[in-house]
Amino acid sequence: MTSSRTPSRFLKIKVRAGSKRNQIQATGPDSFLIEVKAPASDGRANTAALNLLSQTLTLPTGKLWIVKGAHSPAKIVAVL
């Protein structure tokens, strides 16, 4: 039996904040380059990146969690 907080998989993402438009590009089987308009201050770029990723994967935002790299462009995201 698994807990509701046990990740089913991990994704590698790279976030580029302050881009001209929001877009996501798969760079591998479990890796993405995410460009967001939001600035990299106060976690706004992280929030925008998770929103865009959740729309792409058709998952609720609450199912995605930044495990590593909250203050870095390179992040590891757990899919719960």
Side-chain angles (χ1 to χ4, degrees):
M1 179 177 196
T2 59
S3 166
S4 63
R5 298 289 295 175
T6 303
S8 62
R9 69 184 203 195
F10 294 94
L11 305 174
K12 294 179 185 178
I13 66 170
K14 183 170 182 179
V15 177
R16 286 192 186 150
S19 295
K20 291 186 180 186
R21 60 184 169 151
N22 293 328
Q23 63 182 7
I24 187 167
Q25 176 183 350
T27 57
D30 286 329
S31 59
F32 298 90
L33 171 62
I34 302 175
E35 296 182 39
V36 294
K37 291 180 185 178
S41 61
D42 299 324
R44 289 186 275 183
N46 287 344
T47 301
L50 289 180
N51 286 337
L52 190 57
L53 186 60
S54 71
Q55 290 172 5
T56 302
L57 299 175
T58 61
L59 292 170
T61 307
K63 295 282 186 182
L64 301 174
W65 176 49
I66 296 176
V67 177
K68 186 176 180 183
H71 300 285
S72 168
K75 302 173 190 320
I76 303 292
V77 174
V79 179
L80 304 176

